[in-house]
Amino acid sequence: MAWTPDRPLDELKARWAQAPSQFMDVNGLQVHLRDEGQRDDPSPIVLLHGTSASLHTWQGWVEALGTNRRVIRIDLPGFGLTGPSAANDYSAEAYVVFVRAAMDKLAVNRFVIGGNSLGGQVAWSVALAMPGRVDGLILVDASGFAPESFKAVQTTPLGFRLAATPVLRFVSQYTLPRAVVERSLKDVYGDPSRVTPALVDLYEAMALRAGNRQALVRRIEQGYTGDVARLKDIHVPTLILWGGKDRVVPPECAQRFARAIAGSQLVMFEELGHLPQEEDPVGTVGAVRRFLMPQPAQLAALRAQ
């Protein structure tokens, strides 16, 4: 009785892929993206969402940044309206290959890259893999450090716990009680009262895109640990934003990133959770704008090296 069927992509597009959404072929996958703002920006801002999220998580930031910057946000394979990867590979390494291909297809040579949670891990992995193309890095409650190394007690969102539990893993691919979506969102917000019915609608719709529930199981199986020993090799301007009430990737990880990446800036938002850019876009984007303002001088210095 709890069976929840997939929803047709065309039905989801009608509500969630209105202009300026577009779909672009990247290595045979029809990728949902939004490319907005100033087209002559020499170093566009590329934003990557986290597990089970979508490009919509950045809406508030885009509204603030798009007036004088070009902002590209993408539904990563396995999530949003892009849907599952044919290779069923959702590792950070596979996502780096994907980002490179997407930037090549868009003819974007240099860019600032930012990401939340899984998207943050992909972003710093891209910075390491493409040092000649990345001009800046923005990490928002990024993953990468081994969860078992955290001193703080973690809270795994309910939906993720179901997808990771062997007995329930199969069932979770074919059911999706709305209450599970709502509870999962409240688990990652610093203030659960900010979780609105409209937000639950969005996350529920993205989860029901054909193939996404199966992709979530595979993504969780592949884990969130990265080669953090290489963080010291990142030499681009880096901003680290974190929610002080993040119970998924605790604030101690923000300090680890700050220590590992020389010259990085850390801004903590004490009352926010794991999705600060979504929970309080107006309050968090100010730090991003201040970080980006000196970029031209920094970029000139980097290019002169």
Side-chain angles (χ1 to χ4, degrees):
M1 292 178 62
W3 177 69
T4 313
D6 290 331
R7 293 176 60 181
L9 180 58
D10 287 343
E11 174 189 322
L12 296 173
K13 283 182 178 180
R15 180 173 180 184
W16 304 110
Q18 297 181 3
S21 282
Q22 58 179 290
F23 286 80
M24 177 179 73
D25 182 277
V26 180
N27 294 337
L29 188 64
Q30 289 299 306
V31 174
H32 178 221
L33 66 107
R34 291 186 177 179
D35 186 352
E36 303 164 80
Q38 302 301 310
R39 305 301 299 182
D40 60 350
D41 188 342
S43 187
I45 303 165
V46 179
L47 297 173
L48 307 177
H49 61 78
T51 299
S52 290
S54 66
L55 57 75
H56 298 277
T57 195
W58 303 106
Q59 183 60 39
W61 279 21
V62 174
E63 291 172 1
L65 298 173
T67 56
N68 55 16
R69 297 297 298 263
R70 180 181 176 187
V71 185
I72 302 167
R73 44 185 168 146
I74 302 173
D75 278 350
L76 292 170
F79 305 109
L81 298 182
T82 294
S85 159
N88 200 29
D89 185 354
Y90 304 104
S91 63
E93 294 77 14
Y95 282 128
V96 168
V97 172
F98 166 80
V99 170
R100 187 193 301 272
M103 293 302 100
D104 289 347
K105 192 69 178 282
L106 290 167
V108 172
N109 185 44
R110 303 184 70 95
F111 51 92
V112 174
I113 190 164
N116 170 234
S117 194
L118 166 65
Q121 182 176 347
V122 176
W124 63 257
S125 299
V126 167
L128 285 168
M130 294 178 254
R133 298 180 68 173
V134 174
D135 289 327
L137 178 62
I138 303 170
L139 301 180
V140 186
D141 297 67
S143 61
F145 288 98
E148 58 269 21
S149 70
F150 301 165
K151 296 178 182 177
V153 177
Q154 296 172 258
T155 297
T156 303
L158 177 58
F160 292 7
R161 294 202 300 273
L162 295 175
T165 303
V167 175
L168 300 174
R169 185 176 298 159
F170 176 80
V171 176
S172 71
Q173 297 178 56
Y174 301 98
T175 64
L176 188 69
R178 183 178 174 86
V180 170
V181 179
E182 182 176 1
R183 172 65 183 279
S184 297
L185 282 168
K186 289 183 175 180
D187 284 343
V188 298
Y189 266 53
D191 180 359
S193 69
R194 296 189 189 213
V195 175
T196 65
L199 188 66
V200 178
D201 286 346
L202 168 63
Y203 276 83
E204 181 181 42
M206 296 302 103
L208 291 176
R209 194 260 192 239
N212 280 0
R213 283 177 284 183
Q214 292 80 7
L216 173 61
V217 170
R218 178 61 177 150
R219 167 86 283 281
I220 291 174
E221 287 176 344
Q222 292 179 323
Y224 292 87
T225 301
D227 188 4
V228 292
R230 293 198 60 209
L231 288 170
K232 61 179 174 50
D233 297 326
I234 294 175
H235 301 295
V236 297
T238 300
L239 174 66
I240 302 165
L241 301 182
W242 223 270
K245 292 185 176 180
D246 188 344
R247 297 178 294 274
V248 180
V249 185
E252 66 187 78
C253 289
Q255 302 291 343
R256 293 190 195 182
F257 278 111
R259 288 193 296 268
I261 303 174
S264 58
Q265 305 173 38
L266 171 59
V267 181
M268 189 72 67
F269 294 89
E270 297 295 345
E271 298 304 312
L272 301 181
H274 187 58
L275 307 176
Q277 80 286 352
E278 182 178 286
E279 188 174 356
D280 184 7
V282 174
T284 54
V285 77
V288 178
R289 296 184 74 169
R290 289 190 294 273
F291 170 72
L292 293 172
M293 283 178 63
Q295 285 293 98
Q298 292 175 350
L299 296 182
L302 286 170
R303 288 169 179 164
Q305 293 178 359

